[in-house]
Amino acid sequence: MITMLTYLLHHFLISSSERHPDKTALIFSEKEFTYRELLNGSVRLASYLVGQGFKRGDRVIIYLENSPEAVTAVFGALIAGGVFSVVNPSTKAGKLEYIIRNC
């Protein structure tokens, strides 16, 4: 019998944080963020989302510039069981409206 393991994207962050908590995970504008910091921020966001009624399979639009906050939002949505779409903040209103309705 073949057993398939499901390894989701956020599991990478969790396992990396367990193995190398103080290793640099992200560098942005000369500031370094460790796997522990990234995981802690993502778990805080996930907890907040769930506390607000967010359920598995709910959708999140991440409307942020490329930044540590955007990375945290992606992992936070995934840890909460959600699905995310990243939208560039320079997206025009009409296209943004279309994305929001169809994501």
Side-chain angles (χ1 to χ4, degrees):
M1 176 200 256
I2 297 175
T3 304
M4 278 176 80
L5 297 176
T6 302
Y7 195 80
L8 303 174
L9 180 61
H10 61 282
H11 294 153
F12 165 77
L13 176 60
I14 294 166
S15 66
S16 295
S17 181
E18 289 170 353
R19 288 190 327 258
H20 311 289
D22 297 317
K23 188 173 180 178
T24 300
L26 179 67
I27 300 172
F28 184 79
S29 294
E30 299 179 24
K31 176 150 176 29
E32 295 184 6
F33 298 85
T34 65
Y35 284 105
R36 179 192 335 247
E37 291 171 321
L38 188 54
L39 179 62
N40 287 344
S42 300
V43 168
R44 279 194 306 273
L45 177 58
S47 296
Y48 174 80
L49 290 171
V50 170
Q52 296 299 307
F54 190 84
K55 294 181 221 66
R56 183 173 194 77
D58 280 354
R59 297 174 184 110
V60 174
I61 291 180
I62 300 171
Y63 191 70
L64 296 167
E65 297 285 342
N66 289 338
S67 64
E69 293 80 11
V71 175
T72 298
V74 166
F75 282 112
L78 293 173
I79 291 168
V83 178
F84 70 91
S85 290
V86 177
V87 177
N88 188 317
S90 66
T91 302
K92 304 249 188 255
K95 185 172 183 182
L96 179 60
E97 184 179 340
Y98 174 82
I99 291 168
I100 290 170
R101 282 195 205 155
N102 291 287
C103 279

